[in-house]
Amino acid sequence: MKTTFRVALAALALPAVALSGCASPSRPAANLAPPPAPPSLAERAAPLPDLVRAVDIPYEAFTLPNGLRVLVHTDRKAPVVAVSMWYAVGSKHEPKGKTGFAHLFEHLMFNGSENAPGDFFQPLQEIGATDFNGTTWFDRTNYFQTVPTGALDRTLMLESDRMGYLLGAVTQEKLTNQIGVVQNEKRQGDNQPFGLVEYEQLENLYPSGHPYHHSTIGSMADLSSASLADVRGWFKDHYGPNNAILVLAGDIDTSTARDKVTRWFGAIPSGPAIKPVSAPVPTLDAVRDKTIKDQVATTRIYRMWAIPGLDNPDHLPLTTAGLVLGGLASSRLDDELVRKQQLAVSVAASADIFAQAGQFVVYADVKPGVEPAKVAAALDAAIAQFVASGPDANELARASTVHAAGQIRGLEKVGGFEGKAPTLAEGLLYSGDPEFYRKSLARATALTPSEVRDVTARWLSRPAFRLTVEPGTRTEGGEGRGGFVVSAKGSTASPAFWRDPAAVGGAAPVAVAAPNRSKLPPIGDLAPLDFPEVERARLSNGIPVVLARRSAVPLVSVRVSFDAGYAADPRGALGTGAMMLEVMDEGTDSLDSTALARTKERLGADLSGAATLDTTYFQLDALVPNLAPSLDLLAEYIRKPALDAAELDRVRAQQLAAISAEMKDPSALAGRLLPPILYGAAHPYGIPGSGRGDPAVVSRLTRADLAAFHDAWVRPDKATIFVVGDTAMAQILPMLERSFADWQAPAGPAAAKDFTAASPAPAPRIVLVDRPGSPQSLIMAGQVLASKGTDDLLDLKSANDVLGNNFLSRLNMDLRETKGWSYGVRSVVRDLLESASMIVVAPVQADRTGDSIAALRGNITAFLGKKGLTAEELAWTTIGSARELPGSFETNEDVLGGIARNVIYGRPDNFYETLAARYQGMTVSGLDKAARSSIDPARLVWIVVGDRKVVEPQLKKLALPVEIMAGPAAQ
């Protein structure tokens, strides 16, 4: 390694230096010793126990007489409360013939209850909820939303109403519609590259009838068979308060929580007792090999084992083994297969842990031109070596630090997918202990190499399921997969709904007065957004520093942003900026690729480079105890990238593989094709959407090309430093001065982007890209707008929220909730600095492609004409947008993005605090005018990625020219 080489050179030089200064042989030996070397960045890391102590979610608990368990965590940093409801029911509880039913029921729970019959998202939108959703997995179903404190009563009424008063609102029409939505969600997942792997994994690792044998999405046949009788039985058996956990986290105390929860949930009777599910960890009798073909860019080689779940202490050493083997940037597999042997373009290993079992999954993506058998042999050898020797102490320390840092970052949010509320709920639901996260982290830091080695050997020495996915035409899709039993003919027939004989009876109603549910509770006082105060300074070399202080968690986020972006790529060298960023991850002047990765991990720092079309930025998310060395690492990463020519060839292969993967992914492929059509190839925005560029260019880029791009665009006179977190300007400015102030701009003017090229006149048409065998079509449409991102686009964006950028929007509600042809539709106003655009994205079932385009065009035309914005739509979008502001800036990342956008778009520091009043002043006519003056459906260009033989006859019925483009297999 480079670091070792430099140390060795210094050591060799020392005797000569010492002797040259020697006055006499009798000089004390101590005077000959060199001064001690300064500690490395990794050696400056704070002790791991100091980091672990920062992970804390204090809580109080109580249980209602009906069995509802409640956890309360107080966090006053923002006037919001996370409401997280977890039910102990998932796909493992599904009987034969009813696969996918738990997830289907999750969808139905959003379609209204007896006392709140409308779509559940409507009142959530009106109260300004953020982070609201629901998910289903093998062991549980959860529903969550973060709401303004004054809206908590209304939220609890809604959540309790669907627990206790749902069935009267469930109709056959709603059931039929949601079956269609879920089936399109299944098609959307199946249509992705590697979309069939989960079926293979579960069906081969777990025997038929095992609770984890079938996928949570289920089979098409079973979904189609769901009846209203099934709905009633499933609800009565599983959705009682005694099978649920409610967590309230945020601007709430236990006394208030107890009063409110008792009021809204106390009168709901207990449900039947739930019989435990038996889910033993199976072992294959022998190694099982299988090869399938898929629309993928390169061969992927898997090794999989069924392993214990959270109910077995072995899960933690296995999770750590996954990190060390293939989960860290410096993992064993990355070092061996990607960096050293250069046989694979990417590798991964992880322990995917459920409540009662899980999977240990390892895979390698074969480097183009390498024989897959050679990669398979190297992968097996690396796994065998790890199983035999286990990790070393340094690897364990890095893995534990990464894990602890992740836990600390999760403490920023009170709710959502990974915040405080779900962390407490998961511990209680799966392990009977809300503090499971803390005890698990403490145990992880105490693991020894021998313990990880022994546990890994115990489970990974058993026969593996060895799956190979090769590029090619699929021999089967997912339509017949996901069921309880799979045969050549698909799933078995669906019997009547199965009731567990132990899940009967139920408790008598609880003696608690039922609240008035005839109308939704009023909204209480809502606190306005208090955006953090923004401070400014400059380093001695002129780099501006913009800081917002937040002390809720011991984290600091730093972004160094440059006026560059993918639009800065030379017109004849698309992909240069992306390649530069990738190679920058492979080392600095003093740290090679592995040393850089290990240093980040030892510091618990997230460090990365990224770009949009308009900006290139480098971001550090650091733990406060390690802030100083992390900033030094950030500076070295930005200022002194090695851009090693040897690493370049390896990264080149990875970027080419990534471009090939984009050509196989429907959404990514459409995203590559649309911008050049809209903006033209000469325009800086007329480039493939990901920024990865042209394969021909990537194939010939040299180190000199990357260094020239870095010198032209990554320079101090184009930089701004943004800081958000637990620090003050007086603390961080000296650190930034030490790391960046001696950085001087090179001679000559800075580079600039040329936006003089005009976009071509729109030529409305449909570009059909043939992707044979696709169960869905990916529709993407776009139009260049007359506005710039620096213009005031708030009215236009609010109008577009109603049209397509909200769950309740017209486009989504029509194609998803009314017609059931799509899992979700969205339209977006892209506020690019120099030329904004509008994009519509709609994945739809293949046999409804033409109808969907007709519906989209009709909805857009109506919205801009005779059926413009309504007063009701104005109310929910503007009131909701204003009320969600306090919850929209909960994390450092949220605030960092906000202050960066204000600077980039030239907006005042208090911009977000002015928005509530602006939303309040919006009118129907004003939003209609903004939409009608910007959006023109006659200017939209449509791209369809789908099966030509299915789709083309449908498209010919539309009054648009159809242009056929060769599919990815032919490109």
Side-chain angles (χ1 to χ4, degrees), residues 81 125 139 151 169 181 323 451 645 662 705 837 883 902 919:
V81 180
Q125 172 70 31
D139 306 296
V181 171
L323 279 172
E451 184 177 3
E662 289 177 358
D705 295 326
S837 61
R883 288 173 172 170
N902 284 345
Y919 286 128

Side-chain angles (χ1 to χ4, degrees), residues 158-503:
L158 291 166
E159 199 65 72
S160 64
D161 212 63
R162 61 179 175 184
M163 174 189 280
Y165 307 90
L166 180 79
L167 293 183
V170 178
T171 64
Q172 183 62 52
E173 180 183 10
K174 289 181 179 179
L175 176 59
T176 300
N177 171 263
Q178 290 306 310
I179 289 172
V181 171
V182 171
Q183 288 179 330
N184 274 301
E185 183 179 355
K186 175 180 169 66
R187 292 187 184 101
Q188 186 168 319
D190 294 350
N191 199 36
Q192 301 305 305
F194 304 104
L196 304 182
V197 168
E198 185 190 44
Y199 301 133
E200 297 289 352
Q201 179 186 92
L202 299 176
E203 292 164 7
N204 283 279
L205 289 179
Y206 300 98
S208 177
H210 192 284
Y212 295 140
H213 171 80
H214 67 276
S215 73
T216 299
I217 200 69
S219 76
M220 287 291 190
D222 287 358
L223 289 167
S224 295
S225 75
S227 68
L228 282 175
D230 294 336
V231 169
R232 294 187 177 95
W234 188 267
F235 176 77
K236 292 176 181 177
D237 282 355
H238 297 98
Y239 278 80
N242 52 309
N243 197 39
I245 294 168
L246 172 63
V247 183
L248 301 179
D251 187 22
I252 185 76
D253 58 69
T254 303
S255 176
T256 303
R258 188 187 299 273
D259 291 344
K260 292 182 181 296
V261 172
T262 300
R263 178 188 180 196
W264 292 111
F265 290 88
I268 300 173
S270 300
I274 305 299
K275 182 180 179 181
V277 171
S278 175
V281 180
T283 296
L284 298 179
D285 293 334
V287 171
R288 183 173 299 179
D289 288 288
K290 187 171 184 180
T291 298
I292 64 173
K293 295 187 182 298
D294 197 358
Q295 295 196 45
V296 297
T298 186
T299 297
R300 178 174 289 178
I301 298 167
Y302 286 92
R303 299 292 184 259
M304 310 180 197
W305 296 262
I307 57 174
L310 291 167
D311 58 348
N312 186 315
D314 282 359
H315 81 271
L316 192 57
L318 287 167
T319 299
T320 304
L323 279 172
V324 174
L325 182 60
L328 301 174
S330 66
S331 74
R332 291 279 188 93
L333 293 177
D334 273 289
D335 282 348
E336 185 64 29
L337 270 68
V338 178
R339 295 188 178 100
K340 182 179 177 181
Q341 298 187 49
Q342 298 192 23
L343 300 175
V345 291
S346 64
V347 291
S350 65
D352 305 324
I353 305 297
F354 309 142
Q356 297 169 271
Q359 293 88 244
F360 198 99
V361 179
V362 184
Y363 71 77
D365 287 334
V366 176
K367 182 178 179 180
V370 176
E371 177 58 42
K374 184 176 182 180
V375 181
L379 181 65
D380 289 335
I383 295 171
Q385 195 278 332
F386 181 80
V387 168
S389 66
D392 61 36
N394 190 279
E395 289 173 320
L396 272 188
R398 297 200 311 272
S400 296
T401 302
V402 168
H403 181 49
Q407 290 277 3
I408 294 170
R409 292 184 181 100
L411 300 184
E412 281 201 272
K413 297 181 74 69
V414 291
F417 286 97
E418 299 176 339
K420 295 179 179 180
T423 298
L424 292 173
E426 285 180 347
L428 181 57
L429 183 69
Y430 295 146
S431 306
D433 183 1
E435 292 194 71
F436 180 78
Y437 73 94
R438 180 201 292 275
K439 296 170 183 176
S440 177
L441 185 57
R443 181 170 172 244
T445 59
L447 286 172
T448 63
S450 60
E451 184 177 3
V452 175
R453 179 198 64 211
D454 294 347
V455 171
T456 303
R458 183 180 308 143
W459 294 101
L460 268 58
S461 295
R462 300 174 305 145
F465 171 46
R466 306 193 305 194
L467 176 68
T468 301
V469 184
E470 298 177 342
T473 302
R474 285 181 174 177
T475 55
E476 64 174 311
E479 296 283 319
R481 307 292 290 276
F484 211 79
V485 178
V486 174
S487 67
K489 296 182 180 180
S491 299
T492 57
S494 300
F497 181 77
W498 174 86
R499 292 176 67 92
D500 190 322

Side-chain angles (χ1 to χ4, degrees), residues 768 846-847 849-851 947-958 962 964:
L768 172 58
D847 62 344
T849 306
D851 293 336
D947 190 331
R948 178 180 179 180
K949 68 178 183 299
V950 175
V951 172
E952 187 176 12
Q954 302 173 51
L955 301 183
K956 288 183 176 179
K957 299 177 183 178
L958 303 173
V962 178
I964 307 299

Side-chain angles (χ1 to χ4, degrees), residues 654-944:
Q654 293 174 314
Q655 186 155 328
L656 289 171
I659 294 172
S660 296
E662 289 177 358
M663 304 298 286
K664 302 295 185 180
D665 180 277
S667 180
L669 176 57
R672 288 184 63 85
L673 299 177
L674 186 59
I677 292 174
L678 296 182
Y679 286 100
H683 194 283
Y685 294 160
I687 64 176
S690 70
R692 289 196 173 101
D694 180 352
V697 171
V698 173
S699 296
R700 60 174 169 77
L701 285 173
T702 65
R703 185 194 184 282
D705 295 326
L706 304 186
F709 188 88
H710 184 276
D711 291 345
W713 295 98
V714 183
R715 42 190 280 167
D717 51 345
K718 296 180 75 70
T720 302
I721 299 176
F722 301 96
V723 182
V724 176
D726 189 13
T727 189
M729 188 68 82
Q731 293 172 323
I732 199 165
L733 203 59
M735 299 183 196
L736 293 172
E737 186 78 13
R738 182 182 65 242
S739 300
F740 288 97
D742 63 340
W743 189 19
Q744 299 300 316
K753 288 163 278 190
D754 182 3
F755 285 95
T756 57
S759 298
R765 63 197 187 278
I766 299 173
V767 178
L768 172 58
V769 184
D770 188 20
R771 190 174 185 269
S774 298
Q776 269 195 343
S777 297
L778 190 285
I779 299 170
M780 185 177 290
Q783 171 198 344
V784 176
L785 304 179
S787 306
K788 292 186 175 185
T790 50
D791 295 334
D792 186 349
L793 300 177
L794 191 64
D795 281 2
L796 175 60
K797 287 189 171 186
S798 295
N800 184 58
D801 284 346
V802 174
L803 175 61
N805 194 35
N806 189 287
F807 183 89
L808 299 173
S809 70
R810 292 194 187 181
L811 299 183
N812 188 65
M813 293 298 284
D814 184 32
L815 263 67
R816 173 182 161 129
E817 296 298 294
T818 300
K819 295 183 169 68
W821 296 345
S822 175
Y823 177 54
V825 178
R826 190 180 184 194
S827 64
V828 180
V829 174
R830 300 187 68 201
D831 49 359
L832 304 176
L833 277 173
E834 294 294 331
S835 181
S837 61
M838 176 185 173
I839 307 294
V840 180
V841 181
V844 301
Q845 60 192 67
D847 62 344
R848 290 293 189 176
T849 306
D851 293 336
S852 296
I853 292 177
L856 291 168
R857 296 176 72 198
N859 275 298
I860 297 171
T861 300
F863 181 75
L864 300 172
K866 296 180 179 180
K867 295 183 179 180
L869 201 83
T870 67
E872 181 183 7
E873 290 170 329
L874 175 71
W876 67 247
T877 188
T878 57
I879 293 174
S881 295
R883 288 173 172 170
E884 73 183 21
L885 285 168
S888 298
F889 294 97
E890 189 182 357
T891 68
N892 286 354
E893 180 66 25
D894 297 333
V895 175
L896 186 68
I899 63 174
R901 286 191 296 272
N902 284 345
V903 170
I904 290 169
Y905 291 115
R907 303 187 304 213
D909 291 340
N910 69 339
F911 172 78
Y912 292 103
E913 291 178 318
T914 69
L915 291 184
R918 292 193 60 189
Y919 286 128
Q920 187 177 8
M922 288 180 176
T923 63
V924 167
S925 60
L927 297 196
D928 275 342
K929 179 180 179 181
R932 291 167 183 173
S933 63
S934 298
I935 304 169
D936 183 357
R939 296 167 65 91
L940 288 171
V941 177
W942 301 79
I943 289 180
V944 176

